[in-house]
Amino acid sequence: MRFRILVAVVALAAITGPGVAQTDATRPLSLNEAWRLAEQANPALRSKAARQAAFDGAVQDAGALLFNNPELSLNGTRRKAPQQNLSEERHNEWSVGVSQTLEIAGQRGHRLAAAEASRTAQAAELDALRREVRATVAQQFYRVLALQQRVDIETQALDLFDQTAAAVTKRQSAGEDTKLDANVAAVEAERARSQLDAVREQLIDARAELAATLQLPIGRTTDVVGNLAHNLFDPLPSTDRLLADLPIQPHLLALAAQEESARARLDLERASRIPDVTLGLGVGREGSTEARERLTTLSVSMPLPLFRRNAAGVGQARSDLDQARIEHQAGLRDSEARIRALYTRLQNLQRRVQRLQDVVEPTLAANEQLSRKSQRAGQIGLLELIVVSRQTLDARRDLIEALLDFQNTRLALVQAAGLPLGPEEGTQK
């Protein structure tokens, strides 16, 4: 198989062998399908989305016309009035009143601002978590894809070295090769078999990890199909562009909203130092039957803030605001540094993969042809041919590892910059 095919190789067939079982009824999983399954079943996403109702309720309560509900009071009194030389007089008295506590320092606006900022932070955190889950799934997906390709390479290596070992054994029987040559060829074949088993074990673990993330049914395998070289030659956006859009990325929007919510709660706690005013209105009937009186009462009351000034609430709110501000500033700095580092690493990986393709590929292809011609001409033996073949196989392994490293770095950069992972991720080229 030509070297360039490995750059855009697609896992079109199921891999079989010890430790790798797959049924014909199992359809290979694309990256888009993996994302869909993860967003439907991921426990962290479902738990985060379930909290949305709590924030909606908090905003609804904070936006009420009056934060305190009116209070209704009913009083009934049965009075016994003794009279001189007469039986005691009995009569009933009653009163009905309603009172309403009013906030006079703008607490409603601060409370509503805090609740809305918290809801905004929740939505941004959910978006950031969704992107994080998609990036994690993509990394696991590309690892499975890379290991599937490694299994193909190791299978080819095993076939090559088995054939070589058999040929050397025949030549040794004919007296054309030595016992040492036969032993070396046998060892190479066993090393290739061991390498294939090791890669298959890694593939089993990678598939199990992806299946756990996607919450797949027990027993379902996760063969994948995709393009390991996706976006390899696409131009990278400039760091200035990435950094300019950094403050509006979901994870930093969440930190900014948390800071705004903490600031609104501090304003609310400060406003709570100003006492609320309670207005009351009541009506009632009092007095004896002959002197019945109808009463209407208007009351105004407010506590005097002489001793407790809500210092604890204000101090805690100020502390929360300082902490939120520190986390926001640290998030900006850390994200900028991470983006710059990942951007540089991604550029280096692009150049490394291109060198493997542009320099190593034609050289190895030429070496392979020359070695086969030399071997047929009797200029080199089978063992020298093994050395050239092993070099070719090692280069193919290096290319797959470089492509996987490129994808992991690209996904980390996408996540750090808050860029969306679009549906084209799972397409093949």
Side-chain angles (χ1 to χ4, degrees), residues 43-296:
L45 274 178
R46 295 175 61 188
S47 176
K48 191 69 175 178
R51 298 181 57 191
Q52 186 63 39
F55 290 90
D56 292 339
V59 171
Q60 184 176 357
D61 283 345
L65 181 62
L66 296 174
F67 182 72
N68 298 291
N69 289 322
E71 182 178 348
L72 178 66
S73 61
L74 300 174
N75 294 313
T77 304
R78 183 176 179 84
R79 191 185 298 276
K80 295 180 180 180
Q83 302 184 46
Q84 189 175 4
N85 300 327
L86 296 174
S87 60
E88 61 183 13
E89 182 181 1
R90 300 180 180 182
H91 53 270
N92 297 325
E93 300 176 349
W94 58 269
S95 64
V96 178
V98 61
S99 61
Q100 175 66 58
T101 299
L102 303 176
E103 295 175 324
I104 60 175
Q107 289 94 329
R108 176 181 178 275
H110 301 317
R111 188 179 296 109
L112 182 59
E116 289 178 341
S118 295
R119 183 170 64 177
T120 301
Q122 154 71 12
E125 289 173 356
L126 180 60
D127 188 15
L129 180 59
R130 182 179 293 108
R131 299 186 185 201
E132 180 181 350
V133 169
R134 288 169 72 91
T136 300
V137 169
Q139 289 175 343
Q140 295 173 348
F141 177 92
Y142 284 125
R143 174 167 170 75
V144 173
L145 183 60
L147 288 171
Q148 288 180 173
Q149 297 180 15
R150 280 289 308 276
V151 168
D152 287 338
I153 292 177
E154 302 307 331
T155 301
Q156 295 173 23
L158 178 59
D159 293 340
L160 172 63
F161 292 127
D162 275 343
Q163 294 172 7
T164 302
V168 172
T169 300
K170 291 180 180 179
R171 291 172 62 87
Q172 188 223 343
S173 301
E176 298 179 5
D177 284 332
T178 65
K179 179 63 175 177
L180 177 61
D181 294 335
N183 289 342
V184 171
V187 169
E188 289 295 332
E190 289 304 318
R191 288 184 60 192
R193 184 172 287 104
S194 176
Q195 182 72 15
L196 175 59
D197 290 340
V199 174
R200 281 173 171 167
E201 292 169 2
Q202 296 175 23
L203 179 58
I204 291 173
D205 293 339
R207 283 174 171 169
E209 185 178 3
L210 178 59
T213 303
L214 302 182
Q215 297 289 290
L216 295 179
I218 297 177
R220 178 178 174 182
T221 58
T222 50
D223 290 334
V224 303
V225 56
N227 178 19
L228 191 58
H230 176 71
N231 272 353
L232 177 61
F233 302 106
D234 293 350
L236 297 177
S238 65
T239 53
D240 293 338
R241 168 70 182 279
L242 295 177
L243 296 177
D245 296 338
L246 189 59
I248 62 174
Q249 303 311 328
H251 61 290
L252 292 175
L253 279 178
L255 292 175
Q258 290 172 2
E259 181 181 349
E260 183 61 29
S261 178
R263 183 178 292 106
R265 286 194 296 271
L266 175 59
D267 295 337
L268 176 61
E269 294 296 338
R270 286 171 173 170
S272 297
R273 289 175 168 177
I274 300 177
D276 300 334
V277 175
T278 301
L279 302 179
L281 178 64
V283 295
R285 298 296 295 272
E286 295 182 359
S288 61
T289 304
E290 293 79 7
R292 203 72 164 166
E293 297 179 348
R294 182 180 181 88
L295 304 177
T296 300

Side-chain angles (χ1 to χ4, degrees), residues 26-44:
T26 302
R27 180 170 55 88
L29 192 67
S30 68
L31 183 54
N32 292 327
E33 179 69 12
W35 280 337
R36 185 186 65 81
L37 293 174
E39 292 188 7
Q40 289 179 349
N42 186 267

Side-chain angles (χ1 to χ4, degrees), residues 364-381 384-389 392:
L364 289 176
N367 287 348
E368 188 174 3
Q369 293 177 359
L370 291 174
S371 63
R372 292 188 181 278
K373 290 180 180 179
S374 299
Q375 193 270 333
R376 287 194 295 266
Q379 297 176 351
I380 64 173
E384 287 82 358
L385 182 61
I386 288 177
V387 173
V388 176
S389 299
T392 302

